[in-house]
Every structure is written in C-alpha cells, then in structure tokens.
Amino acid sequence: MSDYLFLIESRLNPEQWQVVLRMQKAAEARGMNLYMVGGAIRDLIGGFPIEDLDFVVEGNALKIVRELSRQKVHIPWQNDSLRAAEMEFPSGVSASVCMARSETYGKPGAPPVIAPATIVSDLKRRDFTINAIGVSLNPQSRGLLLDPTNGLADIEKKELRTLNNYSFLDDPVRIFRAVRFRARLRFSFEPKTATQYQNATESDAQEMASGEAVAHELRRIARERTPVEALKALEKEKLLLVLSPCLRDSRLNLQEIGRASKISHSLAKAGLLAPSFPLFFYLLTRKLPARDQTRLAKWLKLRKPETDLWRRMEANAKRLAKQLGGKAASTPTKLYHLLAAAPADLILFLQLLFPQKKIQARIKLFLQKQLPLRSRLPEQELQEMGVASGTPRYQKILDTHFYAVLEGKVRTRTEQKKFLKSLVQKGK
Ligand code: ATP
Ligand code: MG
C-alpha cells in the first residue's frame, strides 16, 4: 500500500516533499481527505520531471488555502465557486488545490454544472486517463493508488485516452491539451480518442474553447521545458489561429521564444527564475498588430498583474538597458546592485533583444562572476573568527568583504583572509 508514498517521497525534491507534508498536516487538522492527483502523479509514474503539484480535498479546499496564505504562501489565483486555488510556496514550489467535484456538461463551451463529490467522481471528470490517477495522503490509506479509469495501463502504452466520447466537445480546451501532451510526452492518441479528436476539430469545436481556459494552457506552455515544441505542435494542428488569425508564419515568433527558453535554462543554473508568463505572452504576441494583441489579452481574461507586466515589459527593459549602459552600472558594485534588484525576466529580455556589447558584457559579468562569488561568501571563516551568524554585524562584514572582492581591492585568498580579519578587528 505504501509503495506509491515511497515513490512520491523518493521522486519529489525536498522542497516539494515538504509541501506534501504541510498539505497533509493542514488537511488532517481539518479532518479532510487529501489526495495528490493529475500531472504530478502521471509524471511520477511515467518517470517524467515533476514540475508542480496538484492536490484535491474532499471538502472546502479554500479553508486550507486561507490558512496557508497566512503563513507566507502566495495565492496568485483563487476561484470561490470551484473552491480551487494556485499556491506558490516560499521555497519556490508551485501547487494547486481544489475541492473534489463532479461536472455535468450541457452545451459545448458552456461551463459545466458542478457539485461537491468524492475523489473517485472527481478523477472521472478529468481530461485523460493518464491525468485521472490519484494517491491518497490520508492516515488510514496513505499511499493507496486510485486509478478508476486504468490510466496506469495508458502510461505504459504511451497513449492519451479521453474519459468519454464527448470529452473534446464538453470542454474544447482539451483539444489544445491533447496536442500539448502528445508533443511533450511523445505519446499518441488511442484510436477512439483520435477519432473523437478528428470529429471535434473538423466541426471547429476548438473555436468554442473559453478564453480563460486557453489562458491556463498558455501559462502551462510558458512553463514547458521547450515551449517551442508545444507551439509548433499547436501550429501544425492550426490551433493557434483560434488565438489570432495572424498568429502564423513569420508573425509567430518561435525563434525568439526558442532563444528565450535557452537563456532561461542558463539563468536557472545561476539561480534566477525566468521567464514568467507575461514575458512569454510578450514574445508570443510581439509580431502581431497592436489591435490583435489587445483583443487577445482581453479574450484570455489575463489577470491584472499579468497584463500590467506585459504592457510595461518593453519600457521597463529599455529603462534597465539605459541604466546598465550608463553610470548606474559603471562600477562592479553598482552593477551588482542594479542587476541583483532587477527581475530575472528583464535580464532575460536584455540578453535576448539588446545586442549592444556593453550591455551583454555587463550581464555576463554579473551572471558568471558576481553571482558565483556571492554564493561563496566566507561565512565559515567568519564564524571561526568568532562572529555570530545572523547578526547585523555578521552581514555587514560579509557585504563589505564581498564588495572589496568585486572591486578587485583584495585579490588572492591570503589577501582576502587578511582583509576579513582586519574587518573583524575593526569591529565593523
Ligand atoms: P502540467 O504538467 O502541464 O501541469 P497537468 O496535467 O498537471 O500538466 P494542469 O493544467 O496542471 O495539468 O491540471 C491539473 C489536472 O487537472 C490535470 O492533470 C487534469 O487531471 C485536470 N485538468 C486540467 N484541465 C482540465 C480540463 N480542461 N478538463 C479536465 N481535466 C482537467
Ligand atoms: Mg499541473
């Protein structure tokens, strides 16, 4: 019974595992049943990288969300009628939680009638069998696998299978999801699903997808390891035309999106998280006429902070480029302060779209020299010299030492040690 719990614990990173424990504790305190579901379980079993965690509770999930939000967990999105929310934990882990529900569909594209339900009904309302698997996180049955539609077999067979004949018509955004998962996981459509997909797209069901649901998909694509692959697959199926009839050929900015994702991988190695959805949206729509951009943002019902960041992206980047090329970054210390305070997105933006040598060289210095130095502060030596860690004096000495190294005032290891000693003796 506990095999799947073992799998969860061994495949999640320590920060993600802490989130599971935190969710378990919060659900237990309220006597609610908690399950891990969706993409995280699919990726766990299929051996794919696990990005974010999806939870379901039998009961009002928002009670847990409210408590977590009081404990420094950021809630970028919440839906009161679905009792669902997205969460960003201080450790950088992102997760979602919702109330277990059943869904009954009427007209295509129209939202379903929802009702609180058990976990099994909840799993049966999902898009594909591979996404309809859950693992119990409850004291009585922790680690128990719930797989009412035999998604496990489809993971083995590398197939995408819908849960009913009307799945694509009920919720046409699943057409987009099918194409994205097929490209990302390198799965194929199971024959019946392939027919349903063909019938749905031939009757243009994709046009009935709701803007909000498509926006959710775009946010997911922005976080893909290779967003270009997903976009190419959608383009091939002519699905991007639903977003804008102009989003094709040279107006589809795949080249820059591809370069941006390469840069973001190298930024991630330096500990900087980029790109965000607003930057992805900026690049995706960059070559569209302004009118189309605005129309699309409206249809997608982008969240206000997203729209604000997207609209200001270019002006903010220009401002940072100006500072970076001028006096505000004319010394190593100033450069460090400027870029350490800049959002990673804007750094990526400049790397991508501001080829000026000075700008590129300064960013390179920051990423390749300054950040590694910052991560190797002589903390242990300082503690050995008797300065208690965590005190303001401790931090001040570390900072003074760091800036002196940046400015090239102390170069060799011996010089650095001597300088550190002198700072301690001076009582700095
Ligand atoms: P990813 O790895 O890209 O996050 P995911 O499968 O976790 O993929 P999410 O968009 O995070 O996808 O959604 C979480 C889960 O919610 C899915 O696995 C699926 O079970 C369910 N889900 C999401 N969108 C739909 C939909 N339109 N119809 C039915 N179920 C859905
Ligand atoms: Mg997910």
Side-chain angles (χ1 to χ4, degrees):
M1 189 193 272
S2 59
D3 271 2
Y4 286 97
L5 199 68
F6 175 76
L7 191 65
I8 293 179
E9 186 173 0
S10 54
R11 286 285 319 280
L12 295 186
N13 65 37
E15 290 80 21
Q16 289 172 322
W17 178 242
Q18 284 309 313
V19 167
V20 173
L21 296 180
R22 236 174 127 172
M23 292 296 290
Q24 246 174 225
K25 204 169 148 199
E28 252 175 78
R30 294 190 152 60
M32 290 191 211
N33 288 332
L34 175 76
Y35 304 86
M36 202 164 144
V37 295
I41 299 295
R42 174 199 66 222
D43 294 339
L44 209 66
I45 294 172
F48 306 112
I50 299 153
E51 304 292 344
D52 51 18
L53 308 177
D54 301 305
F55 297 96
V56 166
V57 294
E58 288 172 329
N60 186 354
L62 294 184
K63 284 189 182 166
I64 294 179
V65 172
R66 267 194 293 276
E67 183 184 315
L68 291 173
S69 76
R70 283 194 292 267
Q71 298 166 14
K72 294 194 178 148
V73 176
H74 176 54
I75 312 296
W77 173 85
Q78 180 173 319
N79 182 313
D80 291 345
S81 50
L82 294 181
R83 302 211 164 73
E86 287 172 8
M87 305 173 285
E88 281 166 8
F89 287 81
S91 58
V93 174
S94 52
S96 75
V97 65
C98 67
M99 169 189 75
R101 64 178 191 267
S102 62
E103 291 184 346
T104 317
Y105 282 91
K107 271 195 208 150
V113 176
I114 62 158
T118 62
I119 180 66
V120 172
S121 309
D122 183 273
L123 291 172
K124 287 185 179 166
R125 67 150 176 100
R126 289 172 184 262
D127 49 0
F128 305 106
T129 58
I130 61 166
N131 291 342
I133 311 174
V135 172
S136 162
L137 296 172
N138 305 308
Q140 315 301 330
S141 55
R142 198 162 281 154
L144 179 72
L145 189 81
L146 297 150
D147 184 13
T149 61
N150 205 7
L152 227 50
D154 289 327
I155 294 179
E156 285 258 305
K157 281 197 273 181
K158 299 188 186 297
E159 281 187 346
L160 281 163
R161 182 192 304 269
T162 54
L163 271 66
N164 73 68
N165 293 341
Y166 303 102
S167 187
F168 291 126
L169 301 176
D170 283 345
D171 183 359
V173 82
R174 292 172 187 162
I175 295 173
F176 295 77
R177 292 176 65 81
V179 171
R180 176 164 70 91
F181 289 128
R182 183 172 64 175
R184 190 216 292 177
L185 305 172
R186 306 199 191 290
F187 279 22
S188 46
F189 293 164
E190 160 278 330
K192 257 191 173 170
T193 302
T195 309
Q196 292 161 13
Y197 175 88
Q198 202 181 343
N199 290 341
T201 46
E202 273 172 15
S203 63
D204 285 335
Q206 64 273 21
E207 302 282 347
M208 304 298 286
S210 88
E212 262 174 301
V214 172
H216 175 88
E217 271 306 285
L218 288 180
R219 288 185 196 102
R220 289 286 174 272
I221 293 172
R223 279 161 49 171
E224 294 268 333
R225 253 156 226 265
T226 48
V228 166
E229 231 176 87
L231 290 172
K232 273 189 181 160
L234 292 169
E235 187 199 21
K236 201 166 159 221
E237 297 293 313
K238 301 199 173 10
L239 293 174
L240 291 180
L241 301 179
V242 175
L243 278 69
S244 156
C246 298
L247 203 53
R248 61 190 159 99
D249 308 325
S250 59
R251 299 257 199 190
L252 177 58
N253 194 12
L254 289 182
Q255 215 193 350
E256 281 173 2
I257 296 174
R259 280 179 50 217
S261 78
K262 277 199 189 126
I263 297 174
S264 82
H265 295 156
S266 67
L267 284 176
K269 279 189 200 140
L272 301 180
L273 277 185
S276 68
F277 174 67
L279 176 57
F280 171 80
F281 187 71
Y282 172 86
L283 293 174
L284 181 69
T285 58
R286 187 161 122 84
K287 303 208 165 152
L288 292 183
R291 222 177 341 131
D292 279 42
Q293 294 177 348
T294 311
R295 198 185 302 137
L296 179 57
K298 251 190 178 165
W299 178 65
L300 294 170
K301 294 202 180 127
L302 295 187
R303 300 164 190 167
K304 186 162 182 327
E306 290 173 341
T307 314
D308 290 349
L309 278 173
W310 162 59
R311 287 203 179 283
R312 283 194 225 122
M313 186 74 62
E314 202 170 305
N316 287 347
K318 277 187 185 153
R319 191 175 319 119
L320 182 62
K322 199 167 168 205
Q323 290 171 321
L324 199 53
K327 275 193 184 152
S330 59
T331 68
T333 304
K334 284 183 181 172
L335 171 67
Y336 176 80
H337 279 302
L338 182 67
L339 289 185
D345 259 5
L346 289 188
I347 298 178
L348 193 161
F349 193 116
L350 299 196
Q351 285 181 287
L352 183 67
L353 298 172
F354 285 75
Q356 293 88 327
K357 273 203 181 122
K358 199 184 207 177
I359 289 181
Q360 294 298 325
R362 285 183 171 171
I363 293 180
K364 196 168 157 196
L365 182 67
F366 171 72
L367 293 174
Q368 296 184 0
K369 283 229 166 118
Q370 298 190 335
L371 281 186
L373 266 178
R374 186 73 195 175
S375 67
R376 289 195 309 262
L377 294 177
E379 299 198 48
Q380 202 182 336
E381 276 152 287
L382 192 55
Q383 284 166 32
E384 281 165 10
M385 289 177 193
V387 183
S389 71
T391 58
R393 178 171 174 248
Y394 179 81
Q395 197 52 51
K396 199 172 169 199
I397 294 177
L398 285 178
D399 285 344
T400 312
H401 183 270
F402 173 63
Y403 298 130
V405 178
L406 278 193
E407 296 293 341
K409 288 181 185 155
V410 278
R411 291 176 189 274
T412 63
R413 290 280 302 149
T414 325
E415 273 175 18
Q416 287 175 15
K417 217 166 183 175
K418 218 167 133 189
F419 183 64
L420 196 65
K421 226 180 199 171
S422 74
L423 290 176
V424 174
Q425 280 162 0
K426 264 191 226 156
K428 273 220 176 184

